[in-house]
Amino acid sequence: AQTVTQSQPEMSVQEAETVTLSCTYDTSESDYYLFWYKQPPSRQMILVIRQEAYKQQNATENRFSVNFQKAAKSFSLKISDSQLGDAAMYFCAYRSAWGGYQKVTFGTGTKLQVIP
Amino acid sequence: EPEVTQTPSHQVTQMGQEVILRCVPISNHLYFYWYRQILGQKVEFLVSFYNNEISEKSEIFDDQFSVERPDGSNFTLKIRSTKLEDSAMYFCASTEGGRNEQFFGPGTRLTVL
């Protein structure tokens, strides 16, 4: 079974600074997806960024980028120029690429605080 | 942009009562899911549903739970006799399948008293 581990329960960053959230995962599969979801106080799950395991290039979405290290099974999220609206819970997640019905497995989350 | 919707946004019920949580997946999607998040904990998979049957279910999804797609648009989660520990946020998700991502609804907060 796949597992996702987020070892940082809480992080804080000064507004306009850069922060990196860590995530490791365990799988025996070679083809899969990794995601970072943001969950603000409203508790809606918002997809921040997605990485396909067969792509070597790290995904980027505006101020959000990832450092995907497939051999190390590491998938960190970097938030540049942090804004107050970035304050939220961030969940790292995994999904197998095989089978259209595959579930998403989530980590325990990192609570990000942005300090003005 | 199409989105997954869920109703109600918040449901309060008495222990032992039946509840039905409703979801309207994105119209061309084929695979449907329910996830649960107890307050302060991670999101956990409950069940996946495809072609009018359950594809996979977790240990959490016991005989108290059932899912149904009663018509071409709704996807429901029923809890037959709610327990205090069923209090959680319940998320519905859907996908076209294959390599496409799952889209999550806004969640239903279930409070069991």
Side-chain angles (χ1 to χ4, degrees):
Chain A
Q2 294 80 25
T3 59
V4 178
T5 302
Q6 293 179 251
S7 59
Q8 303 155 316
E10 294 188 27
M11 293 279 287
S12 61
V13 62
Q14 293 281 345
E15 195 176 2
E17 296 295 307
T18 296
V19 65
T20 298
L21 308 184
S22 301
C23 172
T24 59
Y25 59 95
D26 189 28
T27 183
S28 58
E29 298 178 330
S30 59
D31 195 8
Y32 49 86
Y33 302 97
L34 296 165
F35 309 91
W36 279 97
Y37 285 91
K38 173 184 177 181
Q39 188 180 45
S42 66
R43 298 187 73 183
Q44 179 152 6
M45 298 296 286
I46 302 166
L47 179 65
V48 174
I49 199 164
R50 151 186 162 143
Q51 175 78 43
E52 300 183 55
Y54 70 87
K55 290 186 178 178
Q56 292 187 332
Q57 187 172 7
N58 290 323
T60 61
E61 286 287 341
N62 301 313
R63 298 182 295 106
F64 298 88
S65 62
V66 298
N67 183 2
F68 173 48
Q69 301 290 328
K70 191 173 184 180
K73 295 180 181 173
S74 169
F75 182 61
S76 60
L77 174 71
K78 185 170 84 172
I79 306 174
S80 304
D81 185 27
S82 298
Q83 301 176 359
L84 295 178
D86 295 333
M89 281 291 286
Y90 286 82
F91 291 96
C92 179
Y94 170 102
R95 188 198 142 210
S96 172
W98 298 104
Y101 57 86
Q102 290 292 340
K103 64 181 182 284
V104 177
T105 300
F106 290 85
T108 51
T110 296
K111 184 176 182 179
L112 179 65
Q113 180 186 19
V114 180
I115 303 166
Chain B
E1 186 173 330
E3 58 184 19
V4 178
T5 60
Q6 291 184 243
T7 54
S9 58
H10 190 191
Q11 172 101 40
V12 181
T13 189
Q14 295 290 328
M15 189 170 58
Q17 295 295 305
E18 174 183 287
V19 294
I20 298 176
L21 309 184
R22 291 182 167 79
C23 168
V24 179
I26 295 172
S27 62
N28 63 331
H29 286 187
L30 303 175
Y31 300 84
F32 314 111
Y33 309 81
W34 284 101
Y35 294 83
R36 180 181 83 175
Q37 184 186 30
I38 294 171
L39 185 63
Q41 298 186 22
K42 68 177 179 180
V43 179
E44 300 172 290
F45 168 76
L46 290 178
V47 66
S48 58
F49 190 85
Y50 169 72
N51 199 25
N52 283 321
E53 60 183 27
I54 291 173
S55 308
E56 183 181 358
K57 59 183 181 179
S58 72
E59 294 174 351
I60 304 167
F61 195 88
D62 61 22
D63 292 343
Q64 292 295 318
F65 292 90
S66 62
V67 289
E68 193 178 33
R69 189 154 162 82
D71 52 43
S73 59
N74 289 283
F75 179 51
T76 62
L77 174 69
K78 182 193 289 185
I79 309 175
R80 273 183 254 287
S81 178
T82 50
K83 306 171 196 167
L84 294 177
E85 55 264 37
D86 293 328
S87 293
M89 195 79 164
Y90 289 81
F91 292 100
C92 173
S94 70
T95 180
E96 291 178 79
R99 304 189 76 87
N100 294 290
E101 68 181 270
Q102 291 181 20
F103 289 82
F104 284 81
T108 292
R109 180 178 297 182
L110 176 65
T111 302
V112 182
L113 302 175

